[in-house]
């Protein structure tokens, strides 16, 4: 099998709110298992043929989109309807004609970037980015294993 090493872990809370040590350790373990399944093994950094680095980022997304109103519709009052984490607002002019209707949604998006680096040339030889919506409570070991396996799916198995 090919030998890999990890770069030093980043310092500080740059990845909040998902920077807890236990989540980092669980994600690292999931990535290690996915790499081992492809024939890579962890060795001392000085002996590594490749360095595998990963970074996690999250961001809150608040989206407000204008929804075209129906032409000639008459609405005597304004209304707001909320369901499933999104709201729809209908604003009216003094004559009851819709002026603007909007839909808003809030979510947290996350990304996992994995890079395989050749240490002698410090050249990135392979890279993958996995993005998606992050939901509270979904960071189970099985979910992290699935994310790691999916992210590394395009990495060639060692020896092929």
């Amino acid at each position: 099998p090919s030998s890999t090493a990890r770069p030093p872990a980043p310092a500080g809370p740059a990845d909040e709110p998902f920077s807890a040590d236990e989540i980092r350790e669980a994600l690292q373990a999931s990535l290690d298992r996915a790499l081992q399944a492809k024939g890579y093994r962890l060795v001392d950094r000085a002996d590594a043929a490749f360095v595998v680095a990963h970074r996690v980022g999250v961001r809150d997304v608040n989206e407000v989109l204008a929804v075209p109103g129906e032409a000639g519709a008459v609405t005597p009052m304004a209304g707001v309807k909320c369901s499933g984490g999104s709201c729809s607002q209908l604003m009216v002019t003094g004559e009851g004609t819709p002026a603007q209707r909007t839909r808003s949604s809030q979510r947290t998006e996350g990304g996992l970037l994995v890079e395989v680096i050749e240490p002698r040339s410090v050249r990135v030889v392979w890279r993958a980015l996995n993005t998606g919506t992050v939901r509270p409570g979904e960071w189970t070991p099985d979910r992290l294993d699935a994310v790691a396996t999916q992210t590394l799916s395009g990495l060639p198995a060692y020896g092929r």
Side-chain angles (χ1 to χ4, degrees):
S2 177
S3 55
T4 63
R6 296 185 202 126
D15 300 333
E16 289 294 345
F18 298 100
S19 66
D21 288 340
E22 56 269 11
I23 293 175
R24 286 183 190 271
E25 289 172 13
L27 179 58
Q28 184 65 63
S30 293
L31 288 168
D32 288 347
R33 284 189 292 276
L35 286 165
Q36 288 172 357
K38 289 187 162 275
Y40 298 89
R41 64 184 171 89
L42 187 62
V43 298
D44 185 77
R45 190 167 183 190
D47 299 326
F50 302 102
V51 174
V52 178
H54 76 277
R55 296 290 177 258
V56 175
V58 294
R59 68 179 181 155
D60 291 323
V61 177
N62 298 311
E63 212 169 43
V64 178
L65 301 171
V67 178
E70 296 177 18
V74 175
T75 306
M77 69 180 106
V80 175
K81 177 183 176 186
C82 295
S83 66
S86 66
C87 295
S88 176
Q89 180 179 10
L90 184 61
M91 298 181 296
V92 296
T93 63
E95 298 174 325
T97 305
Q100 181 180 23
R101 184 175 175 183
T102 61
R103 290 200 185 274
S104 64
S105 65
Q106 297 176 342
R107 67 186 179 281
T108 301
E109 292 181 347
L112 170 62
L113 174 67
V114 177
E115 294 180 321
V116 177
I117 302 162
E118 189 177 61
R120 287 160 195 80
S121 65
V122 194
R123 183 174 60 101
V124 176
V125 294
W126 185 87
R127 173 184 293 139
L129 176 63
N130 188 341
T131 60
T133 301
V134 179
R135 293 173 194 83
E138 77 172 7
W139 294 107
T140 64
D142 288 342
R143 177 68 180 133
L144 292 175
D145 283 349
V147 167
T149 300
Q150 180 185 16
T151 304
L152 297 175
S153 65
L155 177 67
Y158 184 73
R160 292 185 188 173

